[in-house]
Amino acid sequence: MHHLTSDNFDQNAREALRDPVLHGALRNLADNFVERRRIAMSSVDDWEGLRTRARAIKDETLAHLDEYLLQFVENAEKGGVKFHWARDGAEACRIVLELVKASGAEMVVKSKSMATEEIHLNDALEAAGIEPIETDLGEWIIQLAHEIPSHIVVPAIHKTKGQIADLFVEKVGIEKTGDVDVLTGTARRILRQKFAEAKVGISGVNFGVAETGTILILENEGNIRMTTGLPQKHIAVMGIEKVVPRFTDLDVFLKLLPRSGTGQRLTAYQSLITGVKKRPDDEGPDEIHVVLLDNGRSKMLSHPVTRQSLACIRCGACLNACPVYQQVGGHAYGSVYPGPIGAVITPQLMGLSKAKQLPYASSLCGACREVCPVKIDIPELLLHLRAEIADNNASNVKRKFSERLAFKLYGSMWSRAGRYNFGTKAARVMQKLVVRKGKIGKVSGFIAKLVPPLGAWTAWRDAPPIAPKTFRQQWREKLRSGNGN
Amino acid sequence: METKANISNSSAAREPIIASIRQSLAASKASDRVHAEHRPIVEYYSPSSNAARSILSHDELVGNFCANLDLLGVRFAIVRNEDEARDYLRKLIAASDIKRIAVSDSEIVSDVAAPINDVEVISSASKETLFDCELGLTSAQWGIAETGTLVLESDAERHRLTSLVPPIHLCLLKAEQIRQTLGEILELIDPRQNRTITFITGASRTSDIELTLAIGVHGPRELHVLVLAD
């Protein structure tokens, strides 16, 4: 099993910062995807309106998830789809294994699916003597390298062309090449044989439509169409949050997802699958099985703040926009889901105790919230999780009450304008006690207890002092004096 | 073969999961009310397509569709009838040294492909045979002008593998089937009727290696579209 180090972000990040190859790759990502997304966004009339609609659809779905999920199941069953329910990853793996074994398959082809990464399906298949073949080019590369994805859309973004060429030389015996078309052609040649032989194909699901029982999967390569179209049995692993109410809701998400993810107006292929073939001589698999995965998701519904995480459509825009991800890459997060969304999902899926550094792996700059196509307030979520960590530490007598209080205040200060004003005013008064030579120096003793976040912050750097008057005060005064400048 | 025991086993978690969803939703009721002030759920879907659909003429739709095919690197031509389509096919066969063609079972595809006798034309090709064909010929039921997208329905023709496996895909589309927006198309297609609907926008592609675009990773390397104007 791949060793996940989600509670070791600090150490991982330090190592990543010293890796020049990684930096080149990440700069390429930021330059490319951020710009492409910006251009693609401008090709729709009302981007903000679309985001608002998408979020409203997700909110509506999640607030009635039991109903929409059951409606989806009922309608898909009419088309002959078989459903399986999994409370956790182990249960999902067991179900998939049984389905694969029933086909007598020793090998399965897989298309990229974050849900199957989350449950470590490949490890479970290998342990049972079944060979899983990842067929997405990026996923195949990292499978050959025995790594985990470092990005949810471009899994091998951390690897250079040269590293990939070396890997292909070693693992599949090609001549060394620097030609991307040759590398891609190698994958095509080898994986086509696997597609032709495979009895079982395993995929994820992007959206499940309650109204019609349709599953929608998006891609660019064609490997998902192969995986879902060639083998006799198709198994789809689907998080229970992937439901949308109506077929026409797909309009909104098909506009947002490709533009946000890869900067495309539409990916090359969408497969809309609503049941198994009608007649024996029709195309497609004889059986379609959908494994519905909970694995901590239903618990996230219990609070509106954490529930937002379930609106995520896995586009990866928050990774590309994040100044922390841009510096340290995906592996530093030590989890299947990296970046800002990973920092909020991972602690909720794995338990806070196993990933308690991740909610701090952010400067709360808000770039992620800005780009999120479904308007997930990731900074709000991070603060919520930080507060929970502080709460949990209450039982640990070494942690001071003041620290917990500080985090709570810190969190609620940012989320309420009134309190923000009060908080900055209070800080303005208190800083008089600590300002030295025009800077806020290291805070210690009594003051550190009074203003706890400043303790850790100022241990590393000087902060400029807070202005004598707030911006709002100055603004109001300027307005009153009739001089906006 | 699958046993009944397996199936009942794997749906044993259904009730606990639904119960857990309901429990969590009930627990959040109090704070939901507060939150709803910030994010009201009002008529949350209105098709964005209505404005665009009425103002475009038939020619404008074809023009938009072809302009977007061009942006995607798709080779396309507007042809007046089946004969012209067949001429295009013959030229493609000669230019790409094609020996075997897989064809779907739609009427227009049969009309175009039937008189072709200098190469092997295979309908209802088996999986194995498909991997040896150099060209797949299908039609599409709809076109989306704003993205240059082809929409293929499984009830209309056996399109799934013919449009995917051979390295060249040639697709025929009647001009009258083009609409401007995705929203319009989603209202026209029926997923209950068609067990698989496939949207195709350009040739197979990937940017997985250093974000460098490579065409034809798993699916067709070339996509050709013939728009049949009346």
Short mmCIF file of all heavy atoms in Angstrom, two decimals, chain A residues 231-250:
data_model
loop_
_atom_site.label_atom_id
_atom_site.label_comp_id
_atom_site.label_asym_id
_atom_site.label_seq_id
_atom_site.Cartn_x
_atom_site.Cartn_y
_atom_site.Cartn_z
N PRO A 231 -15.57 -4.13 -22.26
CA PRO A 231 -15.73 -5.35 -21.44
C PRO A 231 -17.20 -5.73 -21.21
O PRO A 231 -18.09 -4.88 -21.35
CB PRO A 231 -15.06 -4.97 -20.11
CG PRO A 231 -14.21 -3.78 -20.42
CD PRO A 231 -14.94 -3.05 -21.50
N GLN A 232 -17.44 -6.98 -20.85
CA GLN A 232 -18.82 -7.44 -20.63
C GLN A 232 -19.43 -6.86 -19.34
O GLN A 232 -20.63 -6.84 -19.16
CB GLN A 232 -18.88 -8.97 -20.52
CG GLN A 232 -18.45 -9.71 -21.76
CD GLN A 232 -17.00 -10.16 -21.66
OE1 GLN A 232 -16.09 -9.36 -21.43
NE2 GLN A 232 -16.78 -11.47 -21.83
N LYS A 233 -18.53 -6.49 -18.42
CA LYS A 233 -19.04 -5.99 -17.14
C LYS A 233 -18.44 -4.62 -16.84
O LYS A 233 -17.24 -4.44 -16.93
CB LYS A 233 -18.68 -6.97 -16.01
CG LYS A 233 -19.30 -6.61 -14.67
CD LYS A 233 -18.92 -7.60 -13.58
CE LYS A 233 -19.80 -8.84 -13.61
NZ LYS A 233 -19.57 -9.72 -12.44
N HIS A 234 -19.30 -3.67 -16.52
CA HIS A 234 -18.84 -2.33 -16.14
C HIS A 234 -19.20 -2.09 -14.67
O HIS A 234 -20.36 -2.23 -14.28
CB HIS A 234 -19.51 -1.28 -17.04
CG HIS A 234 -19.32 0.14 -16.59
ND1 HIS A 234 -20.18 1.16 -16.93
CD2 HIS A 234 -18.35 0.73 -15.83
CE1 HIS A 234 -19.77 2.30 -16.39
NE2 HIS A 234 -18.67 2.07 -15.72
N ILE A 235 -18.19 -1.78 -13.88
CA ILE A 235 -18.41 -1.44 -12.47
C ILE A 235 -18.06 0.03 -12.28
O ILE A 235 -16.95 0.45 -12.62
CB ILE A 235 -17.53 -2.30 -11.53
CG1 ILE A 235 -17.76 -3.80 -11.79
CG2 ILE A 235 -17.81 -1.95 -10.07
CD1 ILE A 235 -16.75 -4.71 -11.08
N ALA A 236 -19.01 0.82 -11.78
CA ALA A 236 -18.74 2.24 -11.53
C ALA A 236 -18.78 2.49 -10.02
O ALA A 236 -19.73 2.09 -9.35
CB ALA A 236 -19.77 3.10 -12.23
N VAL A 237 -17.74 3.13 -9.51
CA VAL A 237 -17.71 3.49 -8.09
C VAL A 237 -18.09 4.96 -7.98
O VAL A 237 -17.48 5.81 -8.62
CB VAL A 237 -16.33 3.24 -7.47
CG1 VAL A 237 -16.33 3.61 -5.98
CG2 VAL A 237 -15.91 1.77 -7.65
N MET A 238 -19.12 5.23 -7.20
CA MET A 238 -19.71 6.58 -7.19
C MET A 238 -19.95 7.05 -5.76
O MET A 238 -20.61 6.37 -4.98
CB MET A 238 -21.05 6.50 -7.96
CG MET A 238 -21.92 7.73 -7.86
SD MET A 238 -23.42 7.48 -8.87
CE MET A 238 -24.41 8.86 -8.29
N GLY A 239 -19.41 8.20 -5.41
CA GLY A 239 -19.71 8.80 -4.11
C GLY A 239 -21.19 9.16 -4.05
O GLY A 239 -21.76 9.58 -5.06
N ILE A 240 -21.79 9.02 -2.87
CA ILE A 240 -23.24 9.25 -2.78
C ILE A 240 -23.63 10.71 -3.04
O ILE A 240 -24.79 11.03 -3.24
CB ILE A 240 -23.81 8.84 -1.39
CG1 ILE A 240 -23.04 9.54 -0.27
CG2 ILE A 240 -23.79 7.33 -1.23
CD1 ILE A 240 -23.67 9.37 1.11
N GLU A 241 -22.62 11.61 -3.06
CA GLU A 241 -22.93 13.04 -3.24
C GLU A 241 -22.99 13.45 -4.71
O GLU A 241 -23.23 14.61 -5.02
CB GLU A 241 -21.89 13.89 -2.50
CG GLU A 241 -20.57 14.12 -3.25
CD GLU A 241 -19.60 12.95 -3.25
OE1 GLU A 241 -20.03 11.81 -3.01
OE2 GLU A 241 -18.41 13.18 -3.52
N LYS A 242 -22.78 12.51 -5.62
CA LYS A 242 -22.65 12.86 -7.04
C LYS A 242 -23.98 13.05 -7.76
O LYS A 242 -24.01 13.19 -8.98
CB LYS A 242 -21.85 11.77 -7.77
CG LYS A 242 -20.41 11.63 -7.30
CD LYS A 242 -19.56 12.71 -7.91
CE LYS A 242 -18.13 12.61 -7.41
NZ LYS A 242 -17.35 13.77 -7.85
N VAL A 243 -25.07 13.03 -7.04
CA VAL A 243 -26.39 13.10 -7.66
C VAL A 243 -26.76 14.55 -8.00
O VAL A 243 -26.40 15.47 -7.27
CB VAL A 243 -27.46 12.52 -6.70
CG1 VAL A 243 -28.81 12.45 -7.38
CG2 VAL A 243 -27.04 11.14 -6.23
N VAL A 244 -27.42 14.74 -9.13
CA VAL A 244 -28.11 16.01 -9.41
C VAL A 244 -29.57 15.67 -9.70
O VAL A 244 -29.87 14.58 -10.18
CB VAL A 244 -27.48 16.79 -10.59
CG1 VAL A 244 -26.07 17.23 -10.26
CG2 VAL A 244 -27.50 15.97 -11.88
N PRO A 245 -30.49 16.61 -9.42
CA PRO A 245 -31.90 16.26 -9.56
C PRO A 245 -32.35 15.99 -10.99
O PRO A 245 -32.91 14.95 -11.29
CB PRO A 245 -32.63 17.48 -8.98
CG PRO A 245 -31.65 18.10 -8.05
CD PRO A 245 -30.31 17.88 -8.68
N ARG A 246 -32.10 16.95 -11.89
CA ARG A 246 -32.73 16.86 -13.20
C ARG A 246 -31.72 16.72 -14.34
O ARG A 246 -30.59 17.20 -14.24
CB ARG A 246 -33.58 18.11 -13.44
CG ARG A 246 -34.82 18.11 -12.58
CD ARG A 246 -35.63 19.36 -12.81
NE ARG A 246 -35.06 20.49 -12.07
CZ ARG A 246 -35.65 21.68 -11.99
NH1 ARG A 246 -36.77 21.90 -12.61
NH2 ARG A 246 -35.09 22.64 -11.30
N PHE A 247 -32.17 16.12 -15.43
CA PHE A 247 -31.30 15.92 -16.59
C PHE A 247 -30.76 17.25 -17.12
O PHE A 247 -29.59 17.38 -17.46
CB PHE A 247 -32.08 15.18 -17.68
CG PHE A 247 -31.22 14.69 -18.82
CD1 PHE A 247 -30.26 13.71 -18.63
CD2 PHE A 247 -31.37 15.24 -20.09
CE1 PHE A 247 -29.47 13.27 -19.68
CE2 PHE A 247 -30.58 14.80 -21.15
CZ PHE A 247 -29.62 13.82 -20.94
N THR A 248 -31.63 18.27 -17.16
CA THR A 248 -31.20 19.56 -17.70
C THR A 248 -30.23 20.30 -16.76
O THR A 248 -29.59 21.25 -17.17
CB THR A 248 -32.41 20.47 -18.00
OG1 THR A 248 -33.31 20.39 -16.91
CG2 THR A 248 -33.10 20.07 -19.29
N ASP A 249 -30.14 19.84 -15.49
CA ASP A 249 -29.12 20.41 -14.59
C ASP A 249 -27.71 20.20 -15.14
O ASP A 249 -26.79 20.95 -14.81
CB ASP A 249 -29.20 19.78 -13.19
CG ASP A 249 -30.48 20.15 -12.45
OD1 ASP A 249 -31.08 21.18 -12.80
OD2 ASP A 249 -30.86 19.40 -11.53
N LEU A 250 -27.56 19.17 -15.97
CA LEU A 250 -26.24 18.87 -16.53
C LEU A 250 -25.70 20.03 -17.35
O LEU A 250 -24.49 20.20 -17.47
CB LEU A 250 -26.30 17.60 -17.40
CG LEU A 250 -26.64 16.30 -16.66
CD1 LEU A 250 -26.75 15.15 -17.65
CD2 LEU A 250 -25.59 15.99 -15.60
#
